[in-house]
Amino acid sequence: MISREEYLRKEYERRINKAIDFVYQNFQEDFALTDLADIAAFSRFHFHRLFLAFTGETPGEFVKRIRLTNAAAMLRNNPDKSVTDVALCCGFSNSCIFARQFKEFFTVSPKIWRKQDSNHGQKIGRASCRERV
């Protein structure tokens, strides 16, 4: 028999992972962070605290990272697609915001990224809170 604390931890982890799965499946869509709290069935403030505790990043940082890493892969794998098209496909409202956030995250512009052979050690892939706990 598991303790109440262990049961709650597993239940919270399950609900946080449900929100994480939603982000991976819908990163290109426009959604509010309150939608993630609703998916996890937490108040937005409680969700924010729990998400940070389980993953080590805020929900906003997580969504931005997923969008940027998917955009980075798309830039490399689709050389005929414009930077603006990649930005819009990955859920950014415009290419200026995308370019600024991309450069902050990867330290190079999207165009330079596309031309480089390495990805500066950035891991592009799926993570869940189970991997971070």
Side-chain angles (χ1 to χ4, degrees):
M1 186 164 160
I2 64 172
S3 69
R4 181 178 189 278
E5 290 80 19
E6 183 62 24
Y7 170 79
L8 287 176
R9 179 169 174 71
K10 287 182 181 204
E11 176 62 15
Y12 285 8
E13 182 177 316
R14 184 190 66 76
R15 290 160 63 181
I16 295 294
N17 276 324
K18 194 172 180 183
I20 287 171
D21 290 342
F22 176 84
V23 172
Y24 278 108
Q25 293 166 5
N26 299 286
F27 69 90
Q28 64 278 62
E29 304 297 324
D30 185 29
F31 57 86
L33 296 179
T34 55
D35 295 335
L36 296 179
D38 291 343
I39 288 164
F42 290 118
S43 74
R44 64 184 186 170
F45 300 109
H46 194 53
F47 173 73
H48 191 276
R49 286 189 300 272
L50 287 172
F51 194 94
L52 180 60
F54 274 90
T55 66
E57 59 190 340
T58 67
E61 291 168 340
F62 176 75
V63 170
K64 184 167 93 171
R65 180 174 60 82
I66 297 308
R67 287 179 173 164
L68 287 169
T69 55
N70 278 285
M74 195 178 289
L75 285 167
R76 287 267 173 82
N77 298 329
N78 300 287
D80 296 334
K81 198 169 219 169
S82 73
V83 171
T84 300
D85 287 343
V86 169
L88 296 175
C89 283
C90 291
F92 292 91
S93 58
N94 65 56
S95 60
C96 293
I97 291 171
F98 168 69
R100 185 179 66 246
Q101 289 183 357
F102 192 94
K103 189 166 185 175
E104 286 174 10
F105 191 80
F106 290 104
T107 68
V108 295
S109 72
K111 288 181 181 179
I112 292 172
W113 173 268
R114 179 176 264 168
K115 294 176 186 176
Q116 291 178 338
D117 289 334
S118 71
N119 64 6
H120 291 293
Q122 295 290 336
K123 182 179 178 185
I124 298 175
R126 190 176 188 287
S128 74
C129 69
R130 285 184 290 268
E131 296 169 353
R132 308 285 291 300
V133 175

